[in-house]
């Protein structure tokens, strides 16, 4: 979800007050109906996973902020989740190139297209979590960059030059590359030496 | 590299490029290719980042939603990181429990990373005997000291030869019939006999080759593991590292910790003693350092604007049997 989308959801959640408690089963049924409207017929097989995803997003939202209008919130989440799912479907296939010899050596290259979750979100998680365990400064940089700040904004906020930040990030990436050199996962293909 | 190879090269890096993970040269090469190649540009557009305030700080909602499949397909480094995150993140555990899943990721040897992600393997217990000497040497000064030692040795040898000659001549000329005072092979520069061996007094010692430690952890993070190949226990170890960024007059405490986190030795120095090209020599003659994991911790407290600021750097290293 992008920042604008999150704003939409926040606005929706702040609509006219409704019953504040959320009944799980009812919320699931509501989201399922909404997804039915949003998704094309060819994507109906994804509905179960997407209902779950909507519920996780809702849980995360209500942890952070008070929700006044649950129905509006769920409608927005369902819509955004459906759009993300459609985008995501093309993401994995974009990354899987069966004519790539290195991918062809994987036991089942096409199975990569069935990988769960969003590849970019998964890579972002791997990066942040890796630095959480290794280097707090690298983690700060990664979180700021993934939040859409860009290196120039990060440098400005830190009162340091863009070059210094770039060099520091380059050192951070070196650490990750070293750790991922022999990794067999699909997200870290780029880290392997040629 | 032909055109097809370039496409593949770019395709393999698009995700990393979108996540800002490539260095300037690689990113520039991809951008140049995207400017010319409509097909790759379309692929890159499909991977446009969706920025979010907390991107990457929790498991992706889409992954949590498909947890049964994720359990079967996550592998390598990512699998280890997801497991590590679940161990410490109550929110992600709660998300999984809300969906009716067990909030843990089982160990499946075929899917695991080759190397542990967060902690090194436990090392055997180390004798807690204290090292005998911890000092900081300068590489340049050591070379100068070595030169001086050689010069001194040469001077002493010359002086001894002269003395020997004089003594022998004197004994022959003035004390004929008695045994010579000095004969070749005697410890001419002796200051006291060594308990073992015929040679005593000054000795030349070969200092250990310094090992540079890199990847310090600042704050609560985990440091990079520096592996130092060794043969058997070490009675002497020289370590090079980057000093803390604190004023010259700050007192810095250097501690050597064993695998269990127990302090084997700690010593304090002024920051100015950590000038570049200096390194730390650890001598443990009576209790050599055995192969295993250790940590070198530099800690200092500086006062800034009336407030004490703690600065710390932790280097991890492992003495690994060759």
């Amino acid at each position: 979800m992008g920042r604008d989308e999150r704003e939409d959801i926040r606005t929706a959640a702040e609509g006219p007050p409704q019953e504040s408690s959320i009944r799980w089963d009812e919320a699931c049924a509501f989201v399922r109906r909404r997804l039915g409207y949003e998704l094309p017929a060819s994507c109906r097989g994804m509905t179960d996973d997407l209902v779950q995803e909507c519920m996780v997003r809702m849980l995360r939202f209500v942890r952070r902020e008070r929700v006044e209008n649950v129905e509006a919130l769920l409608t927005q989440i369902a819509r955004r989740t459906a759009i993300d799912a459609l985008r995501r479907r093309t993401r994995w296939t974009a990354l899987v190139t069966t004519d790539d010899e290195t991918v062809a050596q994987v036991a089942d290259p096409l199975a990569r297209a069935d990988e769960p979750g969003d590849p970019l979100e998964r890579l972002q998680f791997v990066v942040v979590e890796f630095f959480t365990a290794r280097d707090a400064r690298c983690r700060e940089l990664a979180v700021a960059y993934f939040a859409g700040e860009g290196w120039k904004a990060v440098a400005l906020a830190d009162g340091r030059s863009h070059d210094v930040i770039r060099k520091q990030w380059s050192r951070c990436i070196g650490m990750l590359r070293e750790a991922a050199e022999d990794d067999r996962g699909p997200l870290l293909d780029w880290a392997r030496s040629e | 590299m032909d055109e097809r190879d370039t496409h593949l090269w770019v395709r393999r890096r698009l995700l990393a490029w979108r996540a800002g993970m490539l260095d300037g040269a690689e990113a520039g090469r991809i951008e140049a290719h995207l400017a010319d190649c409509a097909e790759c540009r379309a692929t890159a557009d499909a991977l446009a980042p969706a920025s979010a305030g907390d991107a990457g700080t929790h498991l992706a909602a889409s992954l949590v939603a498909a947890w049964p499949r994720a359990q079967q397909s996550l592998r390598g480094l990512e699998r280890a990181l997801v497991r590590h995150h679940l161990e410490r993140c109550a929110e992600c555990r709660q998300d999984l429990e809300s969906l009716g899943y067990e909030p843990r990721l089982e160990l499946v040897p075929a899917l695991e990373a080759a190397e542990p992600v967060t902690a090194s393997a436990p090392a055997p217990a180390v004798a807690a005997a204290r090292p005998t000497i911890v000092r900081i040497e300068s590489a340049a000064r050591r070379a100068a000291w070595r030169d001086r030692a050689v010069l001194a040795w040469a001077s002493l040898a010359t002086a001894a030869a002269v003395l020997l000659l004089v003594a022998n001549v004197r004994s022959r000329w003035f004390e004929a019939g008695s045994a010579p005072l000095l004969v070749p092979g005697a410890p001419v520069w002796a200051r006291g006999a060594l308990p073992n061996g015929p040679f005593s007094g000054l000795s030349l010692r070969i200092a250990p080759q310094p090992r540079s430690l890199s990847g310090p952890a600042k704050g609560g993070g985990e440091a990079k593991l520096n592996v130092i190949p060794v043969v058997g226990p070490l009675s002497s170890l020289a370590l090079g590292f980057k000093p803390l960024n604190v004023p010259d007059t700050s007192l810095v405490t250097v501690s050597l910790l064993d695998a269990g986190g127990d302090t084997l030795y700690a010593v304090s120095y002024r920051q100015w003693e950590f000038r570049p090209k200096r390194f730390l020599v650890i001598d443990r003659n009576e209790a050599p350092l055995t192969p295993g994991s250790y940590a070198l911790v530099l800690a200092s407290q500086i006062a800034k604007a009336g407030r004490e600021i703690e600065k710390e750097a932790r280097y991890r290293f492992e003495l690994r049997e060759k």
Side-chain angles (χ1 to χ4, degrees), chain B residues 93-182:
Chain B
R93 286 201 301 272
Q94 193 186 44
D95 288 346
L96 285 167
E97 280 170 345
S98 304
L99 299 182
Y101 302 131
E102 277 281 307
R104 64 195 179 91
L105 191 56
E106 289 185 356
L107 272 167
V108 180
L111 300 174
E112 300 302 327
E115 299 222 0
V117 172
T118 53
S120 60
V126 182
R130 286 175 173 278
T132 51
I133 306 165
V134 176
R135 65 176 180 275
I136 298 161
E137 286 189 0
S138 142
R141 175 177 289 186
R142 191 166 64 91
W145 167 245
R146 185 190 57 207
D147 295 345
R148 259 183 254 141
V150 170
L151 271 175
W153 181 86
S155 308
L156 283 170
T158 310
V162 170
L163 277 174
L164 182 67
L165 186 65
V166 169
N168 276 329
V169 167
R170 197 171 71 110
S171 64
R172 282 187 189 173
W173 285 2
F174 303 107
E175 298 171 19
S178 62
L181 289 174
L182 293 165

Side-chain angles (χ1 to χ4, degrees), chain B residues 229-255:
Chain B
V230 296
V231 180
L234 284 184
S235 59
S236 191
L237 178 65
L239 298 171
F241 49 85
K242 191 179 164 194
L244 288 178
N245 183 17
V246 293
D248 273 359
T249 50
S250 299
L251 202 60
V252 178
T253 302
V254 184
S255 313

Side-chain angles (χ1 to χ4, degrees), chain A residues 1-2 49 52 60 63 91 97 99 114-115 118 122 129 133-134 169 173 177 183-184 189 194, chain B residues 4 11-13 20 46 48 51 59 69 75 77-78 85 88 94-95 99 101 110 112 117 222:
Chain A
M1 267 191 295
D49 278 354
Q52 305 251 52
R60 290 181 175 178
R63 264 195 215 114
R91 287 184 169 200
T97 51
D99 54 341
D114 294 330
E115 288 274 352
D118 182 276
R122 277 174 58 179
E129 190 63 26
R134 305 246 175 169
W169 182 241
I173 297 307
R177 275 199 126 126
D183 197 72
R184 296 161 293 159
D189 271 349
E194 292 294 308
Chain B
R4 181 175 165 275
R11 194 68 70 87
R12 279 181 69 187
R13 283 162 182 77
S51 58
L59 291 177
R69 271 195 298 139
R75 53 197 171 275
L77 183 64
E78 186 185 14
H85 182 80
R88 63 175 178 77
Q94 193 186 44
D95 288 346
L99 299 182
Y101 302 131
E112 300 302 327
V117 172
E222 187 80 3

Side-chain angles (χ1 to χ4, degrees), chain A residues 1 4-13 30 34 38 54 57 70-83:
Chain A
M1 267 191 295
D4 296 342
E5 294 161 4
R6 289 159 63 85
E7 280 303 316
D8 287 350
I9 289 174
R10 187 169 291 115
T11 312
F30 180 84
R34 293 302 317 169
E38 303 287 350
C54 288
R57 286 181 170 187
V70 178
E71 202 170 291
L73 171 71
L74 289 176
T75 303
Q76 276 296 331
I77 288 178
R79 197 163 84 81
R80 294 297 172 191
T81 304
I83 293 168

